[in-house]
Amino acid sequence: MAKSEEQIKAIAEHTYGTWKAQKGWKKPTYIKDAAGVYMYDTNDKRYLDFSSQLMCTNLGHKNQAIIEAIVKQAEKLPYVAPVFAQEALESATEALLTVMPAGLDKFFFSTSGTEANEAALMIVRQYMSPSYKIISRYHSYHGATVAGMSFTGDPRRWFAERARFTLEGVCFAPDAYCYRCPFGLNYPGCNIQCAEYVDYMIKEEGNVAAMLVEPVPGTNGRMVPPPEYFPRLRKICDENGVLLITDEVMSGWHRTGPVWAVQNWNVVPDIITTAKGCTNAYTPVGLTVTSRKIADYFEEEPLIHGHTYAFHPLALAAVAPSVAEFKKLMATGLPQKVSPYLARRLYELEDRHECIGDARGIGHFWALEIVKNRKTKERFNTKADKFRKALMTDGIAAEAMKLGLYMQAWYDTLIIAPPLIITEAQVDEGIEILDRALAIADQEVVHTDTPGARSSEAFGQGK
Ligand SMILES: Cc1ncc(COP(=O)(O)O)c(C=O)c1O
């Protein structure tokens, strides 16, 4: 049934909109249904979901196998405390062991990606004591609590810091951001300085316990690192006795091809954190996975962590069917066939639209970086504009929404991360809408004859 403006306003009036000044939370779109790669509002308008909601419904909307498992669990045993073993914990554990890199086999289940990183912090600071510092990177997001915000490099941390809402002992390394190399270098002549500098940081900082990285940064840019980056980072961590944690909350669950993004570079971290795709986001599960060596440490040492909703049966009931559905989908070959097609269609967009400075990505995880001037790479908006100004990227996303395409945007990039079930025809549908929506930015660019950058093409990604 259609909802009146008053009904929608009443919802907004009494709830806090997330990540925004509340004047921007007056008339949210009311979604009444979703299926496959589409969602529907109360006026029956259809939207193609080009960002898998918050880059989390990797298997698409209303997957029946996952829904049935949740319903069954609700009827059977919706809650028992984490002090007990139970069937959902058993099935989730068994399923996860089949997709974990060798050696990573001890799980802590929470209820969000943020909490997965909080648990990692507890584990790392106990295990590595007295070392306690965590190296993160500037183009990163790791969660909304004190720890998550402290690890975060994006402007959300600036607000958290002003509210005195961050931890001590976190420092930030340069990004593997070839389009805007922080060292002003060019691959391959750069000696992967972004990785080498981490060695310098660890030695100069002292007391470094771990490095925390998104293998391909999610919200903060989808930069695909050079092939040498992760092997080098792993070696630097090993040589310095520092743990490597990969935050696969967004990049995991086949978003980039393999289950875990870090597997693109054949590297095994000491800890993986994840959430989102773990249950296709139908139930809230955060997962922290450690190596056996770390697990053994806690045989005698008490693990000082837990909460009422840890190992929640209703939440965990969605894990095993999600793992099974991912395996089934990957066996069809559809995502593997569509991802190079998506890449090609995005590169074509870049050829047509001068506002796209760099099209980059891997698998079903892409960024269109929007610029005012391709030659100078001047942006329409900077990091400091986020949460403060109307952004060009938000304008493009709003226009796309009007035209029937839902897409997340960051201050400088559009986030193209459709469900892995998307077909080539549905990709075409999205590209057609993007073609029209991007005109908003094209009208305001400074014309140069400079081609777009295609930074991932340089690494042979996305082909
Ligand atoms: C890389 C990464 N880490 C952590 C988080 C936090 O996860 P959650 O929103 O489930 O707390 C996110 C959320 O988008 C994320 O992208």
Side-chain angles (χ1 to χ4, degrees):
M1 201 179 69
K3 292 277 169 187
S4 68
E5 269 196 24
E6 280 66 38
Q7 285 172 303
I8 295 175
K9 257 196 213 153
I11 297 170
E13 178 64 21
H14 296 289
T15 56
Y16 279 107
T18 57
W19 307 114
K20 51 171 71 71
Q22 298 304 300
K23 66 181 181 193
W25 178 243
K26 295 294 176 211
K27 290 189 293 180
T29 305
Y30 194 127
I31 298 301
K32 70 163 187 194
D33 202 359
V37 294
Y38 296 104
M39 59 180 186
Y40 304 86
D41 70 15
T42 51
N43 295 313
D44 292 322
K45 181 171 169 182
R46 189 177 87 165
Y47 303 89
L48 175 62
D49 185 348
F50 238 31
S51 291
S52 308
Q53 299 301 292
L54 295 179
M55 293 64 82
C56 56
T57 50
N58 294 12
L59 290 163
H61 296 281
K62 286 181 65 168
N63 177 296
Q64 284 307 307
I66 307 173
I67 292 172
E68 277 166 28
I70 298 167
V71 170
K72 261 199 204 144
Q73 187 68 41
E75 285 168 354
K76 206 167 172 186
L77 185 65
Y79 182 77
V80 282
V83 297
F84 300 110
Q86 30 105 359
E87 201 179 339
L89 180 61
E90 183 184 8
S91 66
T93 303
E94 276 174 11
L96 287 168
L97 285 172
T98 67
V99 294
M100 284 298 156
L104 292 183
D105 61 3
K106 185 93 166 182
F107 307 131
F108 184 89
F109 294 102
S110 53
T111 49
S112 67
T114 300
E115 287 168 286
N117 286 328
E118 287 268 355
L121 174 74
M122 280 303 296
I123 289 168
V124 164
R125 284 200 169 167
Q126 281 192 257
Y127 177 72
M128 292 295 289
S129 175
S131 293
Y132 67 99
K133 290 185 187 170
I134 311 286
I135 297 180
S136 181
R137 296 186 302 184
Y138 286 110
H139 279 258
S140 68
Y141 176 67
H142 296 288
T145 54
V146 171
M149 277 294 171
S150 309
F151 301 149
T152 290
D154 80 29
R156 285 173 275 196
R157 174 170 51 79
W158 298 353
F159 286 82
E161 281 172 348
R162 282 175 214 147
R164 298 290 183 268
F165 185 64
T166 48
L167 290 173
E168 274 179 34
V170 183
C171 36
F172 291 88
D175 301 285
Y177 188 4
C178 296
Y179 178 59
R180 298 180 190 274
C181 174
F183 299 97
L185 299 171
N186 288 309
Y187 181 84
C190 61
N191 193 32
I192 320 297
Q193 198 55 36
C194 47
E196 289 307 319
Y197 189 76
V198 173
D199 185 58
Y200 180 81
M201 280 182 82
I202 293 171
K203 292 191 163 82
E204 291 297 322
E205 273 293 331
N207 298 317
V208 176
M211 167 123 195
L212 170 66
V213 281
E214 292 173 71
V216 177
T219 305
N220 284 273
R222 279 79 68 220
M223 302 83 160
V224 182
E228 298 87 348
Y229 180 82
F230 268 100
R232 186 70 195 114
L233 206 57
R234 175 72 272 185
K235 197 150 180 276
I236 289 168
C237 286
D238 286 344
E239 284 169 358
N240 289 284
V242 163
L243 299 177
L244 178 62
I245 312 170
T246 54
D247 178 338
E248 300 258 13
V249 170
M250 201 182 280
S251 62
W253 301 105
H254 298 286
R255 178 56 58 203
T256 71
V259 184
W260 310 111
V262 72
Q263 290 173 318
N264 285 298
W265 301 283
N266 297 317
V267 160
V268 181
D270 301 291
I271 297 177
I272 289 179
T273 59
T274 192
K276 295 190 188 261
C278 190
T279 58
N280 204 31
Y282 292 0
T283 58
V285 165
L287 173 63
T288 310
V289 192
T290 76
S291 68
R292 189 44 54 179
K293 191 167 171 220
I294 295 173
D296 286 346
Y297 171 79
F298 289 98
E299 282 302 305
E300 295 298 331
E301 185 70 16
L303 175 76
I304 306 299
H305 200 52
H307 41 96
T308 309
Y309 296 152
F311 300 15
H312 196 289
L314 199 50
L316 291 185
V319 174
S322 297
V323 171
E325 287 295 285
F326 276 116
K327 285 182 182 171
K328 233 163 81 184
L329 176 65
M330 297 313 283
T332 67
L334 177 75
Q336 298 90 324
K337 182 167 157 275
V338 173
S339 65
Y341 184 75
L342 174 65
R344 180 158 71 71
R345 297 299 331 258
L346 291 171
Y347 287 147
E348 285 167 11
L349 265 190
E350 186 189 49
D351 289 340
R352 286 196 292 279
H353 295 276
E354 239 185 310
C355 67
I356 300 176
D358 187 24
R360 59 173 174 262
I362 180 170
H364 285 59
F365 206 27
W366 283 79
L368 298 178
E369 182 158 338
I370 304 300
V371 294
K372 193 189 265 185
N373 185 323
R374 267 183 174 175
K375 196 163 179 197
T376 61
K377 302 185 182 176
E378 184 193 351
R379 298 176 171 97
F380 281 101
N381 294 104
T382 65
K383 207 166 176 172
D385 294 342
K386 181 70 187 164
F387 307 118
R388 290 290 187 212
K389 282 188 183 167
L391 306 175
M392 177 57 83
T393 47
D394 285 345
I396 298 167
E399 180 64 13
M401 192 76 177
K402 271 191 220 154
L403 298 168
L405 181 86
Y406 160 77
M407 173 180 62
Q408 280 284 314
W410 195 230
Y411 64 90
D412 55 353
T413 61
L414 303 175
I415 305 177
I416 315 295
L420 311 179
I421 58 169
I422 197 166
T423 63
E424 291 182 0
Q426 289 162 339
V427 167
D428 289 344
E429 194 184 317
I431 297 289
E432 240 171 69
I433 296 179
L434 269 177
D435 239 338
R436 288 153 70 195
L438 285 163
I440 292 183
D442 280 339
Q443 283 160 13
E444 295 191 32
V445 296
V446 176
H447 297 295
T448 66
D449 277 337
T450 315
R454 301 188 179 191
S455 62
S456 19
E457 212 173 32
F459 306 133
Q461 307 287 357
K463 295 241 170 120

